[in-house]
Amino acid sequence: MEKKLWQHIIQVRNTSPLIHNITNYVVMNNTANALLAVGASPIMAHAKPEVEAMVTLSHALVINIGTLDEYWSESMFMASKKADSIQKPWVLDPVGAGATSYRDTVLNQLLLFKPTVIRGNASEIIALAKTADVVTKGVDSTVISTEAIDAAKNLQAKSGAIICISGETDIIISHNTCIYLKNGNAMMTKVTGLGCTASALIAAFIAAVENKTEAVAAAMSLLSIAGELASKESAGPASLQTHILDKLYNITEHEFLTHLKITQS
């Protein structure tokens, strides 16, 4: 598995997939730069007259509901419906799931269009699966990732999507596999939008890699290892963000394989 994940990183670099992002205002610059750093090509477009054409043109789609409004939600519905109809892989990032009834209504509609991957923190995954009463603290999780495993399995069974729970341990659940990744650094929680960056990178990898579960694992491990390595030369969150971008761009096979902490069941 370890060698395969590195091969997937090289595959993204070599194919430079075009990733269509309908994402939030806070993270647009960050996620675009991260996509460029791993070798992908980003486009941010949410205008309804062009959104379906952009989905057709791109190799994968990201729907991130962070700064949701009525216009953007309609664009999200159009884009995800188009992606489903032409079997274009897409990622749903359910930012703030459970925080308001409006977000939940939008998410329920988006789930109808069969996302390939759903990535969120533990609170978001639990809220989306509607398996427990969970308080969502803005976009931050109030529970740890391992507490969301049962909810993720239920959500996977209902949606058919691969579920990725972000946290101190990243957990990836498909219909017959559970992968645990234990890389990263606590300082990464002080940089806004790294979860959104993870979703964008997942889109790049599912665009380029046939095995979608391995693609998610490769994207998540790349980001968390980049954060772990970057933290060693960072004085704080600002420099960490810069060093993560650098490490996404220049990470070596030796660095990746030496630091990767992965288990599978």
Side-chain angles (χ1 to χ4, degrees):
M1 169 72 82
E2 289 86 349
K3 283 279 191 179
K4 282 186 178 180
L5 298 188
W6 175 252
Q7 290 166 2
H8 297 333
I9 292 169
I10 299 302
Q11 179 74 3
V12 171
R13 290 179 181 175
N14 289 341
T15 58
S16 190
L18 178 63
I19 307 305
H20 178 193
N21 299 263
I22 303 180
T23 190
N24 69 74
Y25 292 117
V26 180
V27 304
M28 282 189 184
N29 185 67
N30 299 9
T31 55
N33 282 331
L35 285 166
L36 288 168
V38 302
S41 181
I43 187 165
M44 275 60 181
H46 61 269
K48 286 186 280 190
E50 69 172 1
V51 70
E52 291 181 345
M54 284 297 186
V55 172
T56 302
L57 178 66
S58 66
H59 297 103
L61 167 71
V62 181
I63 299 290
N64 176 310
I65 71 162
T67 50
L68 195 60
D69 68 20
E70 293 88 345
Y71 185 97
W72 280 34
S73 64
E74 291 297 326
S75 297
M76 291 172 181
F77 297 151
M78 292 173 64
S80 55
K81 183 178 181 179
K82 182 65 174 180
D84 182 35
S85 70
I86 62 175
Q87 297 186 310
K88 189 69 58 82
W90 72 280
V91 180
L92 174 61
D93 190 329
V95 179
T100 67
S101 59
Y102 176 53
R103 285 180 185 270
D104 291 344
T105 298
V106 170
L107 287 169
N108 284 335
Q109 180 68 32
L110 289 169
L111 286 173
L112 296 176
F113 305 123
K114 301 180 180 67
T116 311
V117 180
I118 300 169
R119 189 222 59 85
N121 64 40
S123 293
E124 291 164 346
I125 295 301
I126 291 172
L128 197 58
K130 301 187 184 304
T131 58
D133 292 324
V134 174
V135 176
T136 301
K137 180 189 171 188
V139 299
D140 298 325
S141 183
T142 58
V143 295
I144 61 175
S145 55
T146 51
E147 295 180 75
I149 290 175
D150 287 342
K153 288 181 177 178
N154 289 338
L155 182 58
Q156 195 285 318
K158 287 193 293 186
S159 68
I162 298 166
I163 311 300
C164 179
I165 314 165
S166 293
E168 184 176 352
T169 299
D170 297 319
I171 303 170
I172 300 158
I173 295 172
S174 61
H175 74 282
N176 58 0
T177 303
C178 189
I179 296 171
Y180 300 83
L181 300 168
K182 298 185 178 181
N183 289 105
N185 182 274
M187 200 194 309
M188 294 173 73
T189 63
K190 303 301 181 182
V191 177
T192 189
L194 279 183
C196 304
T197 296
S199 295
L201 295 188
I202 287 171
F205 278 74
I206 63 173
V209 176
E210 183 175 354
N211 185 313
K212 305 309 182 192
T213 303
E214 289 180 6
V216 177
M220 293 302 294
S221 58
L222 174 59
L223 180 59
S224 57
I225 292 171
E228 187 175 308
L229 295 173
S231 68
K232 296 176 182 179
E233 52 182 331
S234 301
S239 54
L240 177 66
Q241 188 169 27
T242 300
H243 288 139
I244 286 175
L245 282 176
D246 287 346
K247 191 51 62 179
L248 289 173
Y249 178 77
N250 64 30
I251 193 169
T252 65
E253 180 179 5
H254 177 74
E255 287 176 320
F256 181 79
L257 295 178
T258 299
H259 289 85
L260 179 61
K261 302 180 184 75
I262 183 172
T263 56
Q264 186 174 346
S265 61

